[in-house]
Amino acid sequence: MPTNILMPALSPTMEKGKLAKWLKKEGDSVKSGDILAEIETDKATMEVEAVDEGTVGKILVAEGTDEVAVNTPIAVLLGEGESASDIKAPAAAAPKPAAAPAPKAEPAKAEAPAPAKAEAPKPQAAPATAPAGKANGHGGGRVFASPLARRIAKEKGIDLGALQGSGPHGRIVLKDVETAKPGAKAPAAAPGVAAPMADDAIAKLYEPGSYEVVPHDGMRKIIAQRLLQAKQTIPHFYLSISCDLENLLAVRERLNAHAPRDKEKNPVWKLSVNDFIIKALALSLQRVPDANATWTDGGMLKHKHSDVGVAVAVEGGLFTPVIRKAETKTLSAISLEMKDLATRARKRRLAPQEYQGGTTAVSNLGMYGIENFAAVINPPHATILAVGAGEKKAVVVDDKIEIRTQMACTLSVDHRAVDGALGAQLLQAFKAFIEEPALMMA
């Protein structure tokens, strides 16, 4: 029977996307590996590969369509001996992505799972436990408790909705009931965050015709959501330090002078100050491993490797591609990888796994002449290093005033995961690597 081609999920959190362009039209023959369409999300443009051979029998979603839900049928593929008369109305989409043609980031090509057939999806079972922050029935929701806790609470006349569970995902367990007082009432709801000004209220502050409304694209919406989440849920504090760059600049110049050459006599790589910063931060997290952490309500994630995200400005927003296991890579390898990631980021051609995750991040505005700034932590990271411009300044060295190149750095820290002294140790380690770059090669 005809096979539905479904809207793929380009990342675990993707719910909708834009069908930007069809590269096949109705009646076209398709072979496994052929590119069918381009899909846009807030972050990237990806390609959908065909898995099976056949003919495009019907296109269900026109190109340029926004807000196409994941797992929605977007086209029908006819097999050998099938015709358009065999096409039936597509089944409703499942709430979560089923097997579908795999998205693919240019230029890599990967095998994809077979597309799901046009069958009605089975309903998914409800979770056995409450999600974090939504258990215990506060606000009229369902109460999640163990059977024993329910029985003892009934015997003691305790309202389970008044208790805060200490079990997994906020589940109420026997200990919570035993320590509760009979007749306890549910706590009053905490005051909510003040609502922002309404759009029309803001617009009334300006003269009609003195502005134009530019709708937000997907990237800007996601950036706004994540920054709001970061500032509302992560208790930031900031540590600043000044690093001397004289040794680093001298080492960088010597290494670049000895870079291997290609057939056209051009250097194969050219190290930037940012490459040294990435490597130094990665090694610092290895030297101060307790700072290489991520906060979760259930426990601290202590990372074994230093996966360093690097903010890259693109039109309309930014990406943070990640250098994985940066502590294990040479400066030249980091330089080449970063150049490739930044180039593809500006074209919105990164795969989700190339910009998701990471254990920390670097935001460098030194090339814009910014002396000092503090960055907003990118969840789920616990730190982000803001780097300013290297500037010639008068400093005291061995009781003498000298003119030396100084670089101001500010570490933004999630106080839940990293305390002040620990953050200070991390910055001290970073400063040591920057001021004596030979340590990075030891």
Side-chain angles (χ1 to χ4, degrees):
M1 61 179 295
T3 302
N4 279 352
I5 300 171
L6 306 179
M7 182 69 170
L10 305 184
S11 72
T13 58
M14 175 180 166
E15 296 181 356
K16 297 179 181 179
K18 176 181 179 180
L19 205 160
K21 184 179 181 181
W22 279 107
L23 301 178
K24 296 289 185 179
K25 61 181 182 295
E26 292 181 3
D28 283 357
S29 296
V30 173
K31 295 185 295 184
S32 178
D34 285 354
I35 306 302
L36 298 175
E38 291 183 352
I39 305 296
E40 289 183 6
T41 68
D42 57 290
K43 287 285 188 181
T45 299
M46 310 286 282
E47 293 178 340
V48 180
E49 278 189 2
V51 178
D52 297 326
E53 295 185 354
T55 302
V56 179
K58 186 175 181 61
I59 290 177
L60 304 175
V61 177
E63 64 179 39
T65 303
D66 285 315
E67 303 293 313
V68 182
V70 165
N71 213 35
T72 298
I74 58 176
V76 179
L77 188 67
L78 300 176
E80 185 176 356
E82 296 176 338
S83 65
S85 61
D86 297 318
I87 299 175
K88 299 179 181 179
K96 288 191 177 181
K104 148 185 184 305
E106 291 184 348
K109 291 183 182 253
E111 289 187 15
K117 301 295 182 181
E119 298 177 356
K122 296 179 180 180
Q124 296 184 343
T129 58
K134 294 183 179 180
N136 305 339
H138 299 320
R142 178 182 172 188
V143 175
F144 293 86
S146 70
L148 180 59
R150 288 184 180 277
R151 180 170 63 82
I152 300 301
K154 184 176 181 181
E155 293 174 357
K156 291 187 174 184
I158 295 174
D159 178 11
L160 288 174
L163 305 185
Q164 182 66 45
S166 62
H169 304 288
R171 188 180 180 88
I172 297 172
V173 295
L174 178 61
K175 178 181 67 174
D176 304 318
V177 177
E178 290 178 335
T179 57
K181 295 180 180 180
K185 297 182 179 180
V193 178
M197 290 180 66
D199 289 2
D200 57 350
I202 296 173
K204 288 178 181 178
L205 299 175
Y206 303 97
E207 181 182 351
S210 65
Y211 59 85
E212 63 174 322
V213 178
V214 180
H216 303 304
D217 63 10
M219 174 178 281
R220 181 50 54 186
K221 289 179 181 178
I222 292 297
I223 290 173
Q225 291 170 4
R226 289 181 65 81
L227 291 179
L228 189 62
Q229 174 195 8
K231 294 299 285 187
Q232 287 184 342
T233 64
I234 298 177
H236 287 58
F237 74 93
Y238 309 94
L239 301 170
S240 296
I241 203 166
S242 185
C243 300
D244 189 294
L245 290 185
E246 292 296 329
N247 287 341
L248 186 150
L249 294 176
V251 169
R252 172 177 174 262
E253 184 177 358
R254 291 198 299 270
L255 290 175
N256 283 338
H258 290 86
R261 305 277 168 163
D262 59 20
K263 295 180 179 180
E264 286 74 35
K265 305 299 182 183
N266 296 316
V268 175
W269 42 258
K270 185 177 181 181
L271 302 180
S272 68
V273 172
N274 211 47
D275 299 327
F276 285 86
I277 291 169
I278 295 168
K279 178 76 171 181
L281 183 56
L283 291 174
S284 300
L285 288 171
Q286 296 299 306
R287 182 168 288 187
V288 188
D290 285 344
N292 194 22
T294 294
W295 171 270
T296 73
D297 289 337
M300 200 79 74
L301 306 185
K302 294 294 184 69
H303 303 289
K304 297 178 181 178
H305 295 288
S306 302
D307 297 335
V308 182
V310 184
V312 176
V314 301
E315 184 178 354
L318 60 84
F319 275 94
T320 309
V322 180
I323 304 291
R324 309 284 177 183
K325 300 181 180 179
E327 80 280 5
T328 68
K329 297 178 178 177
T330 63
L331 288 163
S332 59
I334 290 173
S335 180
L336 291 171
E337 185 175 348
M338 195 62 237
K339 181 178 179 181
D340 171 62
L341 289 171
T343 298
R344 290 190 289 115
R346 294 185 180 101
K347 296 178 181 178
R348 297 198 181 192
R349 293 292 179 179
L350 291 178
Q353 63 269 21
E354 292 179 306
Y355 59 80
Q356 293 178 344
T359 65
T360 190
V362 172
S363 181
N364 189 343
L365 294 178
M367 67 286 293
Y368 298 102
I370 300 301
E371 297 181 12
N372 198 354
F373 72 104
V376 179
I377 295 171
N378 183 29
H381 301 169
T383 55
I384 183 171
L385 185 68
V387 180
E391 296 184 310
K392 293 284 187 181
K393 293 185 177 180
V395 296
V396 177
V397 180
D398 297 330
D399 294 330
K400 296 180 181 179
I401 296 177
E402 295 185 12
I403 304 299
R404 300 180 68 88
T405 305
Q406 303 289 297
M407 179 179 71
C409 299
T410 298
L411 187 71
S412 301
V413 186
D414 181 349
H415 212 325
R416 299 172 302 174
V418 178
D419 292 325
L422 189 60
Q425 292 174 34
L426 181 63
L427 265 189
Q428 286 175 342
F430 175 79
K431 178 182 174 73
F433 283 117
I434 290 294
E435 295 190 345
E436 188 47 78
L439 293 174
M440 301 187 204
M441 305 163 198

